[in-house]
Tab-separated table of all heavy atoms in Angstrom:
chain	number	residue	atom	x	y	z
A	30	LEU	N	0.828	-1.200	-0.002
A	30	LEU	CA	0.000	-0.005	0.011
A	30	LEU	C	0.860	1.243	0.000
A	30	LEU	O	0.586	2.223	-0.716
A	30	LEU	CB	-0.931	-0.033	1.210
A	30	LEU	CG	-2.063	1.001	1.256
A	30	LEU	CD1	-2.928	0.928	0.017
A	30	LEU	CD2	-2.885	0.752	2.526
A	31	LEU	N	1.928	1.240	0.773
A	31	LEU	CA	2.846	2.381	0.788
A	31	LEU	C	3.497	2.545	-0.582
A	31	LEU	O	3.603	3.694	-1.085
A	31	LEU	CB	3.936	2.193	1.869
A	31	LEU	CG	4.950	3.311	1.994
A	31	LEU	CD1	4.258	4.644	2.287
A	31	LEU	CD2	5.983	2.967	3.038
A	32	CYS	N	3.878	1.453	-1.197
A	32	CYS	CA	4.486	1.545	-2.542
A	32	CYS	C	3.498	2.106	-3.557
A	32	CYS	O	3.880	2.941	-4.405
A	32	CYS	CB	4.963	0.159	-3.004
A	32	CYS	SG	6.450	-0.420	-2.178
A	33	VAL	N	2.237	1.692	-3.500
A	33	VAL	CA	1.280	2.125	-4.523
A	33	VAL	C	0.931	3.594	-4.341
A	33	VAL	O	0.804	4.316	-5.331
A	33	VAL	CB	0.027	1.229	-4.530
A	33	VAL	CG1	-0.929	1.506	-3.382
A	33	VAL	CG2	-0.709	1.373	-5.865
A	34	VAL	N	0.792	4.079	-3.107
A	34	VAL	CA	0.485	5.501	-2.949
A	34	VAL	C	1.686	6.364	-3.352
A	34	VAL	O	1.517	7.445	-3.924
A	34	VAL	CB	0.000	5.853	-1.510
A	34	VAL	CG1	-1.332	5.159	-1.254
A	34	VAL	CG2	1.029	5.544	-0.464
A	35	ARG	N	2.884	5.875	-3.101
A	35	ARG	CA	4.072	6.606	-3.566
A	35	ARG	C	4.179	6.581	-5.089
A	35	ARG	O	4.541	7.588	-5.694
A	35	ARG	CB	5.335	6.004	-2.937
A	35	ARG	CG	5.542	6.361	-1.487
A	35	ARG	CD	6.729	5.665	-0.874
A	35	ARG	NE	7.050	6.167	0.453
A	35	ARG	CZ	7.919	5.566	1.281
A	35	ARG	NH1	8.559	4.469	0.887
A	35	ARG	NH2	8.165	6.113	2.463
A	36	GLU	N	3.807	5.459	-5.686
A	36	GLU	CA	3.813	5.358	-7.140
A	36	GLU	C	2.842	6.378	-7.718
A	36	GLU	O	3.128	7.066	-8.721
A	36	GLU	CB	3.432	3.944	-7.566
A	36	GLU	CG	3.250	3.771	-9.082
A	36	GLU	CD	2.668	2.402	-9.464
A	36	GLU	OE1	2.908	1.445	-8.739
A	36	GLU	OE2	1.975	2.334	-10.512
A	37	LEU	N	1.647	6.477	-7.162
A	37	LEU	CA	0.656	7.404	-7.669
A	37	LEU	C	1.086	8.849	-7.520
A	37	LEU	O	0.681	9.714	-8.296
A	37	LEU	CB	-0.690	7.164	-6.995
A	37	LEU	CG	-1.388	5.860	-7.357
A	37	LEU	CD1	-2.618	5.615	-6.475
A	37	LEU	CD2	-1.777	5.834	-8.828
A	38	GLU	N	1.889	9.135	-6.502
A	38	GLU	CA	2.404	10.521	-6.327
A	38	GLU	C	3.218	10.954	-7.525
A	38	GLU	O	3.350	12.153	-7.817
A	38	GLU	CB	3.214	10.625	-5.058
A	38	GLU	CG	2.410	10.646	-3.792
A	38	GLU	CD	1.426	11.794	-3.755
A	38	GLU	OE1	1.852	12.959	-3.645
A	38	GLU	OE2	0.207	11.518	-3.843
A	39	THR	N	3.816	10.036	-8.246
A	39	THR	CA	4.662	10.374	-9.402
A	39	THR	C	3.852	10.475	-10.694
A	39	THR	O	4.424	10.814	-11.731
A	39	THR	CB	5.760	9.314	-9.577
A	39	THR	OG1	5.180	8.072	-10.012
A	39	THR	CG2	6.554	9.106	-8.303
A	40	ASP	N	2.570	10.176	-10.637
A	40	ASP	CA	1.712	10.201	-11.845
A	40	ASP	C	0.875	11.468	-11.837
A	40	ASP	O	-0.170	11.534	-11.181
A	40	ASP	CB	0.803	8.963	-11.884
A	40	ASP	CG	0.092	8.786	-13.203
A	40	ASP	OD1	-0.026	9.790	-13.940
A	40	ASP	OD2	-0.377	7.669	-13.491
A	41	ALA	N	1.327	12.468	-12.551
A	41	ALA	CA	0.633	13.751	-12.585
A	41	ALA	C	-0.756	13.680	-13.180
A	41	ALA	O	-1.585	14.540	-12.931
A	41	ALA	CB	1.482	14.791	-13.313
A	42	ALA	N	-1.005	12.643	-13.990
A	42	ALA	CA	-2.309	12.525	-14.646
A	42	ALA	C	-3.411	12.118	-13.674
A	42	ALA	O	-4.580	12.351	-13.907
A	42	ALA	CB	-2.231	11.526	-15.784
A	43	VAL	N	-3.023	11.510	-12.557
A	43	VAL	CA	-4.011	11.062	-11.563
A	43	VAL	C	-4.299	12.205	-10.620
A	43	VAL	O	-3.416	12.738	-9.967
A	43	VAL	CB	-3.485	9.834	-10.781
A	43	VAL	CG1	-4.413	9.509	-9.611
A	43	VAL	CG2	-3.339	8.640	-11.698
A	44	ARG	N	-5.591	12.560	-10.529
A	44	ARG	CA	-6.019	13.662	-9.682
A	44	ARG	C	-6.727	13.196	-8.425
A	44	ARG	O	-6.675	13.826	-7.386
A	44	ARG	CB	-6.956	14.568	-10.475
A	44	ARG	CG	-6.343	15.206	-11.735
A	44	ARG	CD	-5.756	16.546	-11.437
A	44	ARG	NE	-6.668	17.343	-10.609
A	44	ARG	CZ	-7.742	17.976	-11.079
A	44	ARG	NH1	-8.080	17.913	-12.363
A	44	ARG	NH2	-8.504	18.660	-10.236
A	45	VAL	N	-7.484	12.077	-8.568
A	45	VAL	CA	-8.295	11.560	-7.465
A	45	VAL	C	-7.995	10.073	-7.330
A	45	VAL	O	-7.902	9.368	-8.350
A	45	VAL	CB	-9.788	11.792	-7.665
A	45	VAL	CG1	-10.596	11.201	-6.502
A	45	VAL	CG2	-10.086	13.289	-7.815
A	46	VAL	N	-7.897	9.575	-6.092
A	46	VAL	CA	-7.662	8.154	-5.840
A	46	VAL	C	-8.833	7.632	-4.994
A	46	VAL	O	-9.147	8.173	-3.937
A	46	VAL	CB	-6.332	7.944	-5.082
A	46	VAL	CG1	-6.089	6.430	-4.848
A	46	VAL	CG2	-5.177	8.556	-5.853
A	47	ILE	N	-9.466	6.576	-5.489
A	47	ILE	CA	-10.513	5.893	-4.734
A	47	ILE	C	-9.911	4.633	-4.130
A	47	ILE	O	-9.237	3.877	-4.832
A	47	ILE	CB	-11.704	5.513	-5.655
A	47	ILE	CG1	-12.326	6.786	-6.248
A	47	ILE	CG2	-12.751	4.705	-4.891
A	47	ILE	CD1	-13.328	6.477	-7.355
A	48	VAL	N	-10.140	4.400	-2.839
A	48	VAL	CA	-9.670	3.166	-2.210
A	48	VAL	C	-10.862	2.370	-1.761
A	48	VAL	O	-11.832	2.907	-1.207
A	48	VAL	CB	-8.711	3.467	-1.037
A	48	VAL	CG1	-7.429	4.107	-1.542
A	48	VAL	CG2	-9.350	4.336	0.031
A	49	THR	N	-10.829	1.047	-1.985
A	49	THR	CA	-11.922	0.199	-1.581
A	49	THR	C	-11.386	-1.209	-1.297
A	49	THR	O	-10.179	-1.451	-1.396
A	49	THR	CB	-13.004	0.165	-2.710
A	49	THR	OG1	-14.206	-0.426	-2.214
A	49	THR	CG2	-12.535	-0.571	-3.961
A	50	GLY	N	-12.287	-2.126	-0.984
A	50	GLY	CA	-11.858	-3.506	-0.708
A	50	GLY	C	-12.572	-4.482	-1.597
A	50	GLY	O	-13.689	-4.237	-2.042
A	51	VAL	N	-11.944	-5.627	-1.865
A	51	VAL	CA	-12.543	-6.715	-2.590
A	51	VAL	C	-13.227	-7.651	-1.597
A	51	VAL	O	-12.655	-7.961	-0.547
A	51	VAL	CB	-11.473	-7.486	-3.414
A	51	VAL	CG1	-12.066	-8.728	-4.074
A	51	VAL	CG2	-10.825	-6.578	-4.440
A	52	GLY	N	-14.445	-8.080	-1.917
A	52	GLY	CA	-15.165	-8.967	-1.013
A	52	GLY	C	-16.060	-8.218	-0.070
A	52	GLY	O	-16.521	-7.111	-0.357
A	53	LYS	N	-16.273	-8.766	1.120
A	53	LYS	CA	-17.237	-8.184	2.063
A	53	LYS	C	-16.628	-7.226	3.085
A	53	LYS	O	-17.316	-6.760	3.979
A	53	LYS	CB	-18.031	-9.274	2.770
A	53	LYS	CG	-17.209	-10.196	3.634
A	53	LYS	CD	-18.133	-11.264	4.243
A	53	LYS	CE	-17.347	-12.215	5.166
A	53	LYS	NZ	-18.231	-13.244	5.762
């Protein structure tokens, strides 16, 4: 999770991040 949020910080095209879970 830390890696993915850091990865997204480098992507200027991404403005909004939605976080959710798979399953119940």
